[in-house]
Amino acid sequence: MMTTEAAIAKSVQVKINGVDTRRSGQIMVMLFEDNGFPVKHKQALQTQFHSPESESLTVEFTTAKAEFAIKVLHDEDNSQTTSKNWTGLIPSEGLGFSNGAKISWRGPPKFKDAKLSLADINTPISISIKYP
């Protein structure tokens, strides 16, 4: 018996905390597979845009992907890319990743550090935005 992806799709809630409401722009919430994570925003499977009106917000994705990762970007200049500071390496905008993955001196987090398993999700995923 074959099941379609839609039949096993599951709703995933993401609670985003730490939004700096004094900053302009938009909050981008992206759901990724390994491909393109976390830099190539156009390769995200789903992207949602929200205004930074409150310090926390909850968004919802529906996915059937067994493993995925989530990136949150406070895109202050509405460029839909992660802006960098004068070094050209360090982000100048707020970021957050699923699983508490962090940016290191080696660069952005790897998919394996941020990935979540659809089968293990029962409650909202919590992601805090960290600003430079």
Side-chain angles (χ1 to χ4, degrees), residues 85-101:
N85 72 0
W86 59 272
T87 65
L89 302 170
I90 300 169
S92 61
E93 297 175 309
L95 289 167
F97 300 95
S98 50
N99 223 15

Side-chain angles (χ1 to χ4, degrees), residues 44-120:
L45 301 174
Q46 298 176 44
T47 302
Q48 293 185 19
F49 300 90
H50 299 273
S51 58
E53 293 171 0
S54 61
E55 290 177 13
S56 69
L57 67 134
T58 302
V59 302
E60 196 167 304
F61 289 104
T62 300
T63 185
K65 300 297 176 191
E67 293 183 337
F68 58 90
I70 295 176
K71 175 181 181 177
V72 179
L73 166 65
H74 190 154
D75 183 20
E76 293 180 55
D77 60 4
N78 292 316
S79 65
Q80 296 189 16
T81 61
T82 305
S83 299
K84 306 287 195 285
N85 72 0
W86 59 272
T87 65
L89 302 170
I90 300 169
S92 61
E93 297 175 309
L95 289 167
F97 300 95
S98 50
N99 223 15
K102 294 182 173 39
I103 295 171
S104 72
W105 57 272
R106 284 176 265 144
K110 304 283 183 248
F111 180 77
K112 68 178 177 59
D113 298 323
K115 79 177 176 185
L116 300 166
S117 172
L118 188 62
D120 296 339

